[in-house]
Amino acid sequence: MAPKARAYQKAYMQQMGQLNNHVEESYNGQMIIKSFNGEEKYLQQFQEYNAPLYQGWKVKFLVGMMMPLMLAIKNLGYVLVAVAGGWKVATGRISIGDIQAFLQYTSQFTQPVADMAGIVSNLLSTVASAERVFEILDQPDMPETINSNQKKIGHQKIDFENVQFGYHSTEPIIQNFNLSVKSGEMVAIVGHTGAGKTTLINLLERFYDVQKGAIYMDGVDLRAIPDQELHRRIAMVLQDVWMFSGTIYDNIVYGNRGITQEQFKNVTQATYVEDFVNKMPHGYQTLLNESATNISQGQCQLISIARALMTNPEVLILDEATSNVDTRTELLIQKALKNLMQGRTSFIIAHRLSTIQNADKILVMEKGSIVEVGNHEELLTKNGVYAEIYHSQFLNQAV
């Protein structure tokens, strides 16, 4: 019975996982669901996910039947021994002490088997759940860092050399990508949606490995640099900011507990975090709830920028880092970042071109390739893709 029950149990756990996922999604997105009158749709979907669970009676029946079945077999054996032994005692073939011993032996033999049947349901549920967990744990890890002491001659701070990558091997996003970035240079990356801007940054952080070519930092292949060392030298500020449950102070010094109070104060002042934190009753000890909904998105963005700069990185990556702040705060952040970027190599992904006009080099990407390179004035003079994007934004602002 166990193999058949195991198959049912695995299907049951998959259906339960889908239902739990739907419930969690409904809970987290309740504001969107209500604002778009989606309650009936989500209730219908809940019923569709919940209905197959009714079929779980099969696994419950099989698993639940094991214990009573084993008890019935145990009692049946006890009865058979008692009847047969009683007949033999009555005919004088064995003594009453022998039949008593047989009855005790029968109970001692069948009791462990019955107890084992009692834990089969938990065991089958554990195995079914473990299979789903191990599907993730057994996924192959990224290759360990390669052993390479050879440096690229005449290297810059960052070098992309004939890089090719695609999330699916048959659909490359970046092809034959080449770029050299000098130490301390500010590089802006622009382009239409899907051009490969964020993918390029993911490769630089080695969240993914290149499929062809190589990326070098200080002349060393990224794959030869241990992950912790690589991430210590690079800091990133994303458009979608993540805050951890805890105090504002804990979120700022995350990953860099050895920071001094002077360094902490300098960074928080430079990023204007101190301006709004000092207005809070508990200051930096203010507790952030789950998803940090008790502070604004703009304040989360400022905390994220302070967290990145607190590590004093060699390379700074900003992926639409000022998208959630107002215009005045954005100008203040740009002013602060200009000072803080001194001596650091920085990559900035931006859709609002007004934020990158002072970049040393602007890359315009199309379909994973660089189509234009230059500073703001040079690219406007070329009257190409960059000029088209710039003028379209200007016209939209004018309208």
Side-chain angles (χ1 to χ4, degrees):
M1 294 173 65
K4 193 171 290 187
R6 180 183 174 186
Y8 285 133
Q9 187 75 16
K10 184 176 181 180
Y12 180 83
M13 296 303 295
Q14 289 175 340
Q15 292 163 355
M16 180 63 74
Q18 292 176 342
L19 180 66
N20 289 337
N21 179 67
H22 179 75
V23 170
E24 182 181 1
E25 182 183 73
S26 304
Y27 177 78
N28 292 331
Q30 59 178 307
M31 294 180 65
I32 302 298
I33 294 173
K34 288 181 177 295
S35 62
F36 284 91
N37 296 322
E39 293 94 336
E40 291 186 5
K41 177 183 176 182
Y42 262 79
L43 180 59
Q44 180 181 355
Q45 290 177 339
F46 174 84
Q47 292 170 345
E48 290 174 357
Y49 286 123
N50 190 48
L53 290 178
Y54 173 73
Q55 301 300 322
W57 67 267
K58 293 181 180 179
V59 65
K60 297 300 181 184
F61 176 79
L62 283 175
V63 173
M65 191 173 62
M66 288 184 184
M67 181 65 172
L69 184 61
M70 293 307 301
L71 289 174
I73 293 174
K74 171 188 173 183
N75 294 330
L76 180 62
Y78 192 91
V79 170
L80 290 175
V81 171
V83 171
W87 178 75
K88 290 190 176 186
V89 169
T91 59
R93 300 176 64 180
I94 61 174
S95 67
I96 193 169
D98 292 336
I99 187 59
Q100 182 181 8
F102 266 103
L103 291 174
Q104 290 179 347
Y105 294 153
T106 301
S107 296
Q108 292 175 4
F109 176 77
T110 56
Q111 186 62 44
V113 180
D115 292 340
M116 179 65 71
I119 65 172
V120 164
S121 60
N122 292 332
L123 185 63
L124 290 176
S125 177
T126 301
V127 170
S129 300
E131 288 178 348
R132 289 166 57 80
V133 172
F134 282 111
E135 285 180 6
I136 298 175
L137 296 181
D138 291 340
Q139 290 296 317
D141 295 330
M142 289 181 65
E144 295 292 333
T145 53
I146 62 176
N147 295 320
S148 175
N149 296 321
Q150 183 177 3
K151 289 192 174 184
K152 179 177 167 63
I153 306 301
H155 65 269
Q156 307 292 341
K157 182 65 178 179
I158 302 291
D159 286 298
F160 292 81
E161 192 173 272
N162 298 322
V163 170
Q164 179 172 316
F165 175 79
Y167 296 103
H168 302 286
S169 57
T170 58
E171 299 177 4
I173 297 175
I174 296 177
Q175 302 184 64
N176 299 323
F177 187 89
N178 292 277
L179 174 68
S180 291
V181 180
K182 298 178 182 178
S183 180
E185 198 169 34
M186 175 181 173
V187 178
I189 307 173
V190 301
H192 298 293
T193 301
K197 304 184 294 297
T198 301
T199 299
L200 193 67
I201 297 305
N202 287 336
L203 295 176
L204 181 58
E205 278 272 17
R206 201 171 176 247
F207 296 148
Y208 301 92
D209 269 337
V210 299
Q211 293 167 346
K212 291 183 180 180
I215 304 175
Y216 299 90
M217 175 180 285
D218 292 332
V220 180
D221 194 317
L222 293 188
R223 292 167 292 187
I225 303 175
D227 287 344
Q228 289 188 344
E229 174 66 17
L230 177 64
H231 296 154
R232 184 190 64 79
R233 300 172 66 178
I234 301 176
M236 175 184 282
V237 181
L238 300 175
Q239 181 177 1
D240 297 323
V241 179
W242 180 260
M243 293 287 119
F244 299 94
S245 296
T247 64
I248 292 178
Y249 179 86
D250 292 336
N251 273 276
I252 294 176
V253 301
Y254 179 80
N256 192 28
R257 290 287 177 177
I259 197 76
T260 66
Q261 287 301 316
E262 182 181 0
Q263 291 172 314
F264 181 86
K265 189 174 183 64
N266 290 338
V267 172
T268 52
Q269 284 180 340
T271 53
Y272 302 96
V273 171
E274 193 171 89
D275 291 353
F276 73 85
V277 171
N278 286 339
K279 298 176 183 177
M280 296 180 173
H282 303 290
Y284 288 104
Q285 297 306 312
T286 300
L287 284 172
L288 301 181
N289 59 20
E290 186 178 359
S291 302
T293 55
N294 55 333
I295 60 175
S296 70
Q297 283 292 314
Q299 290 170 339
C300 287
Q301 201 91 59
L302 293 172
I303 292 173
S304 179
I305 293 172
R307 178 167 59 196
L309 295 175
M310 202 67 70
T311 62
N312 193 25
E314 299 175 19
V315 178
L316 183 62
I317 299 172
L318 304 175
D319 187 354
E320 281 293 320
T322 59
S323 60
N324 292 322
V325 298
D326 58 85
T327 305
R328 178 179 176 277
T329 306
E330 180 182 10
L331 293 174
L332 293 175
I333 293 176
Q334 288 180 16
K335 183 178 179 181
L337 289 176
K338 184 176 181 181
N339 296 327
L340 294 168
M341 285 179 182
Q342 295 296 328
R344 292 190 178 95
T345 306
S346 55
F347 292 82
I348 301 176
I349 297 177
H351 291 102
R352 287 183 287 185
L353 303 188
S354 59
T355 63
I356 58 168
Q357 294 183 10
N358 295 324
D360 299 314
K361 184 185 295 183
I362 300 175
L363 309 180
V364 183
M365 294 188 64
E366 282 279 329
K367 298 180 180 179
S369 301
I370 299 175
V371 294
E372 292 179 352
V373 180
N375 58 35
H376 176 69
E377 290 76 13
E378 292 172 348
L379 293 177
L380 284 180
T381 304
K382 290 181 180 180
N383 200 28
V385 178
Y386 180 85
E388 177 188 347
I389 298 174
Y390 178 80
H391 291 307
S392 65
Q393 292 185 5
F394 178 78
L395 288 175
N396 289 335
Q397 292 173 359
V399 172

